[in-house]
Amino acid sequence: MRNIVILISGGGSNMAAIVKTAQRDAWRTAYGAQIAAVISNRADAKGLLFAQEQGLHAQALDHTDFATREAFDTALAGLIDRFDSTTQPALVVLAGFMRILTPGFVARYAGRLLNIHPSLLPAFPGLHTHQRAIDAGCKFSGATVHLVSAELDCGPILAQAVVPVLPGDTATTLAARVLTQEHLIYPQAITQWLVTNNQAKCSVEPADGAI
Ligand code: GAR
């Protein structure tokens, strides 16, 4: 079974969309893949509650408990790798995970580390994407799913969705419009990744707390 570990920092609506799609489309039988864990760098992340309600392994690893970025990323990798094996390496999905990752972490999960960013990359990497798109007078904005490379919000693009920027839009209204599309393209992009990277499917029983 291929394990998927989802990293969040807050609401976790993208994570929830992925979990619901995995359930609806029976990823276990269709792709030999299961959501094995949801990990947040903030203990108060609302998404952890949803994950718990779904019976998933949900855990916080508070980055403020670590003196350096490297120390946190090392501990995070140790946690993720509990769901890893040499034959079936886990897919790591950043879903609103608001941390800059160290080059060592990114290299460790090269090719199996996905991110979603709320802009049409390469436009507007970083924070405050919606306000920046409005301020720039963009007529369209959107979201991008990409493989993660060492540079922030960079890496090969796997999927994008476009939405209009409407007169009178605020960062809040535009973010909401973009988010509805994120919930569609992220599960689709993960599905496509699972198909494209289909190593030997296995039929072992799912782990406890996995869907
Ligand atoms: C989403 O809009 C996601 O694209 C963004 O944070 C939000 C998380 O929402 N991610 C980034 O800005 C990463 N650079 P969610 O917690 O409800 O999924």
Side-chain angles (χ1 to χ4, degrees), residues 6-102:
I6 305 180
L7 306 186
I8 65 170
S9 295
S13 69
N14 276 291
M15 176 271 297
I18 295 163
V19 167
K20 286 177 194 159
T21 303
Q23 291 167 337
R24 186 196 65 200
D25 295 349
W27 282 3
R28 268 200 208 122
T29 48
Y31 309 114
Q34 64 184 357
I35 310 232
V38 175
I39 299 170
S40 170
N41 65 307
R42 297 177 55 108
D44 61 354
K46 280 195 197 139
L48 285 177
L49 294 176
F50 171 86
Q52 278 163 5
E53 284 164 12
Q54 299 299 308
L56 293 169
H57 180 99
Q59 187 168 348
L61 185 70
D62 189 339
H63 65 274
T64 63
D65 289 342
F66 296 85
T68 64
R69 198 173 284 283
E70 286 73 17
F72 173 72
D73 280 9
T74 300
L76 181 61
L79 194 50
I80 292 168
D81 290 351
R82 286 194 214 160
F83 302 94
D84 216 344
S85 83
T86 50
T87 53
Q88 301 285 343
L91 171 64
V92 181
V93 172
L94 308 178
F97 186 65
M98 305 304 278
R99 294 278 307 164
I100 293 174
L101 296 164
T102 55

Side-chain angles (χ1 to χ4, degrees), residues 115-140:
N115 183 43
I116 192 159
H117 183 74
S119 78
L120 293 172
L121 291 174
F124 308 123
L127 297 174
H128 311 302
T129 54
H130 305 299
Q131 191 60 53
R132 287 158 67 204
I134 291 167
D135 291 347
C138 294
K139 302 299 178 202
F140 294 93

